[in-house]
Amino acid sequence: ETPTRDGYTFSGWSPAWSSTVTETVTYEAQWTPIPQYTVTYDLNGGTGTAPDSATGYENTSVTVANDEKFKNPGYTFSGWNTEKKGTGTDYAAGSQLNLVRNVTLYAKWNPSENTQYKVEHYWQNVENDEYTLHETKTMSGTTGTKTAAEANTYPGFTAKSFEQTTIAADGSTVVQIYYDRNKYTIYY
């Protein structure tokens, strides 16, 4: 009967097995270690605690870690990938990974569709050409895309031109819109 041993494969007997035995012979099992491999996790820009590494023997499966201990503001976790840029093999949290080599799994992050940003509306002062904050509106959009701020209509004011900006993942984006007072000339 072929013997078994955890972490090893049986590779034969020593000395070589003989069918003719003329004296007492002790045969010793020869073992070849099964390679062990490790799965490590890289948060790939996320913050918090990375999952613990997992180790196992070649051609055994390990369960891929979940996302409970880390985050990335402005993004949602969408699983793991064998490449930092997400171009390798995808693994969902809780799926099985067959160990054939050491591997690092990188967190995949999708841009959040509800990242907040602010739109500030400034009115020109009466006494000088400076501006004072009139109101602030909180809006949301997809991280990494352009804002969708719009000028308001205020009686007696005209909005100056402004540019949309890219929505930052951390919610720090602010679009400032300035309004000049309308000037009229009165003739007597």
Side-chain angles (χ1 to χ4, degrees):
E1 183 178 333
T2 302
T4 60
R5 181 178 173 192
D6 281 344
Y8 294 86
T9 56
F10 176 69
S11 57
W13 297 100
S14 177
W17 189 267
S18 171
S19 59
T20 307
V21 178
T22 58
E23 59 187 79
T24 301
V25 178
T26 301
Y27 291 97
E28 194 172 308
Q30 299 300 300
W31 302 99
T32 302
I34 298 173
Q36 284 193 341
Y37 297 112
T38 302
V39 178
T40 55
Y41 296 93
D42 185 314
L43 298 183
N44 201 13
T47 59
T49 304
D52 293 333
S53 298
T55 302
Y57 292 112
E58 183 176 44
N59 290 320
T60 59
S61 292
V62 295
T63 301
V64 176
N66 61 27
D67 65 336
E68 292 180 8
K69 299 178 185 175
F70 55 91
K71 60 185 176 179
N72 192 351
Y75 295 89
T76 56
F77 175 73
S78 65
W80 301 96
N81 194 278
T82 55
E83 298 292 329
K84 191 170 189 72
K85 293 183 178 180
T87 57
T89 304
D90 284 331
Y91 288 95
S95 66
Q96 297 297 304
L97 183 149
N98 186 43
L99 293 173
V100 293
R101 62 182 169 85
N102 289 326
V103 64
T104 298
L105 294 180
Y106 298 91
K108 284 184 66 174
W109 300 103
N110 288 336
S112 175
E113 295 179 0
N114 61 354
T115 303
Q116 293 189 339
Y117 62 94
K118 293 189 182 332
V119 180
E120 296 177 341
H121 301 272
Y122 290 85
W123 284 5
Q124 185 180 33
N125 297 331
V126 173
E127 60 278 352
N128 56 37
D129 286 337
E130 294 180 12
Y131 295 83
T132 301
L133 179 63
H134 175 68
E135 71 177 306
T136 301
K137 181 178 180 183
T138 300
M139 298 182 69
S140 63
T142 302
T143 300
T145 64
K146 293 289 186 181
T147 56
E150 294 180 354
N152 291 337
T153 301
Y154 298 112
F157 290 89
T158 300
K160 297 174 80 170
S161 64
F162 65 95
E163 291 186 17
Q164 304 292 347
T165 187
T166 302
I167 300 171
D170 63 1
S172 64
T173 302
V174 177
V175 177
Q176 296 175 329
I177 304 175
Y178 292 89
Y179 299 82
D180 284 340
R181 289 185 177 274
N182 296 337
K183 293 182 181 180
Y184 300 97
T185 303
I186 299 175
Y187 295 97
Y188 295 97

